[in-house]
Amino acid sequence: MKSARAEAAFQRVLTIHAQEGDKCVMNKNRVVEVKDGYRYQDLITHIEQLTKLYPCLHLTWIGHSVLGKRIPALQLGTGAEQVHINSAVHANEWITTPLLLKFMEDLARAWCDGKPVSLALLSRISICAVPMVNPDGVDLSQDGWNEDTTDLPLTKWNQGKKDFSHWKANIRGVDLNDQFPAYWDEEVARRGVHAPASQDYAGKHALSEPEAVALARLTIEKNFARVLSMHTQGKELYWNYRGLEPAYSSEFAERMAEAGGYKAVALAGSDAGYKDWFIAKFKRPGFTLEAGEGVNPLPLTQFDHIYEEIEPILLTFVQG
């Protein structure tokens, strides 16, 4: 059950009319369900089901991971204003993938239902979602690694541990949220990690990793009006970067955070993240959402509760 606040936010923000020619096969059951973790194959299976049920959801591929997994993006809406949400940049934050995919499913379902509400949101806005930026890392963090099949010394990079559940980096031990050309050198010096590791190694240079390159290329090509990157945890929303953000970013962040009972935080002492690079390059609003509360990886028992919190935040972000 949604809270009254979440339902009110949904009805206030969401206006969706089915596109002419879009014939949806409505299903009483939801596609996105999470039972035993969430891996790359789960994502692909769900995307195949969603795009069949909801023709208004359009699938594209933005690049490949180190191991050759294709990175999918979902597009929804016909508006000229493009906005972007991504998730699972960090491997052990994989719960953000089904959270984002569930949000896209709810929007697509409402679109196909032709729900009568106050604003024609998806005729004004187009959403481009990348639900799993780091597919190799997501699978590694849940299933571990057979070193007999590769030359990558992952156990060594993991400080000799065979448990990869707290691994954040990609399969080459590079932290993808330290990969972007926004004071990258300063982030390297601050982290002090100069070799592959489970987290905090920024790579040999900015945009050295194919996953980060794919996300940067997509962002430049789409010329997004605003972006949001989903992480866990802390129930916080970061909105600033070295004073380069638009003046209204603070107020916007407060509205978003309040919608879900989160806290908007002005973050200092952090560089080279996706949000940082977007703000620095485009001078437009960029946000990092730290969903849920606890220790990563967050348990699936929190999934429904986290979604109830963040759904109105995401809707407020999309609305602008």
Side-chain angles (χ1 to χ4, degrees), residues 203-221:
K204 294 180 179 179
H205 54 79
L207 298 179
S208 66
E209 303 307 295
E211 301 93 342
V213 170
L215 194 55
R217 183 186 297 119
L218 173 75
T219 303
I220 292 169
E221 289 176 354

Side-chain angles (χ1 to χ4, degrees), residues 35 39 49 51 74-75 81 103 175 192 203 214 218 250 269 309:
K35 297 179 180 178
R39 295 157 177 84
Q49 294 171 344
T51 52
L74 287 173
Q75 187 88 16
E81 186 176 12
F103 177 69
D175 192 320
L218 173 75
S250 175
E309 292 176 339

Side-chain angles (χ1 to χ4, degrees), residues 125-192:
I125 302 292
S126 294
I127 306 167
C128 179
V130 178
M132 190 179 287
V133 177
N134 185 6
D136 298 342
V138 163
D139 286 355
L140 172 68
S141 71
Q142 294 172 83
D143 296 330
W145 190 250
N146 181 0
E147 294 193 343
D148 293 335
T149 64
T150 178
D151 293 331
L152 294 172
L154 283 159
T155 302
K156 176 183 176 181
W157 295 345
N158 198 36
Q159 298 180 324
K161 296 179 291 186
K162 294 185 177 180
D163 179 1
F164 288 87
S165 60
H166 297 290
W167 184 276
K168 294 176 67 175
N170 76 348
I171 203 73
R172 284 202 292 231
V174 177
D175 192 320
L176 295 178
N177 209 39
D178 284 336
Q179 262 279 285
F180 293 88
Y183 288 89
W184 180 85
D185 291 335
E186 292 196 20
E187 183 70 3
V188 170
R190 182 185 299 112
R191 294 291 196 187

Side-chain angles (χ1 to χ4, degrees), residues 181-241:
Y183 288 89
W184 180 85
D185 291 335
E186 292 196 20
E187 183 70 3
V188 170
R190 182 185 299 112
R191 294 291 196 187
V193 179
H194 302 290
S198 62
Q199 65 183 70
D200 297 339
Y201 173 55
K204 294 180 179 179
H205 54 79
L207 298 179
S208 66
E209 303 307 295
E211 301 93 342
V213 170
L215 194 55
R217 183 186 297 119
L218 173 75
T219 303
I220 292 169
E221 289 176 354
K222 292 287 189 179
N223 196 29
F224 295 121
R226 54 190 172 276
V227 303
L228 183 146
S229 188
M230 292 175 59
H231 292 254
T232 57
Q233 44 73 41
K235 299 181 70 170
E236 294 180 333
L237 183 71
Y238 307 139
W239 55 270
N240 67 307
Y241 184 62

Side-chain angles (χ1 to χ4, degrees), residues 84-153:
H84 171 66
I85 308 173
N86 64 59
S87 54
V89 174
H90 285 146
N92 67 343
E93 298 171 10
W94 49 262
I95 197 172
T96 57
T97 293
L99 287 168
L100 176 52
L101 207 59
K102 179 177 173 64
F103 177 69
M104 295 296 286
E105 178 180 10
D106 283 352
L107 289 176
R109 188 182 182 89
W111 172 288
C112 289
D113 276 343
K115 286 194 173 182
V117 283
S118 59
L119 298 171
L121 179 62
L122 291 181
S123 64
R124 178 173 61 87
I125 302 292
S126 294
I127 306 167
C128 179
V130 178
M132 190 179 287
V133 177
N134 185 6
D136 298 342
V138 163
D139 286 355
L140 172 68
S141 71
Q142 294 172 83
D143 296 330
W145 190 250
N146 181 0
E147 294 193 343
D148 293 335
T149 64
T150 178
D151 293 331
L152 294 172

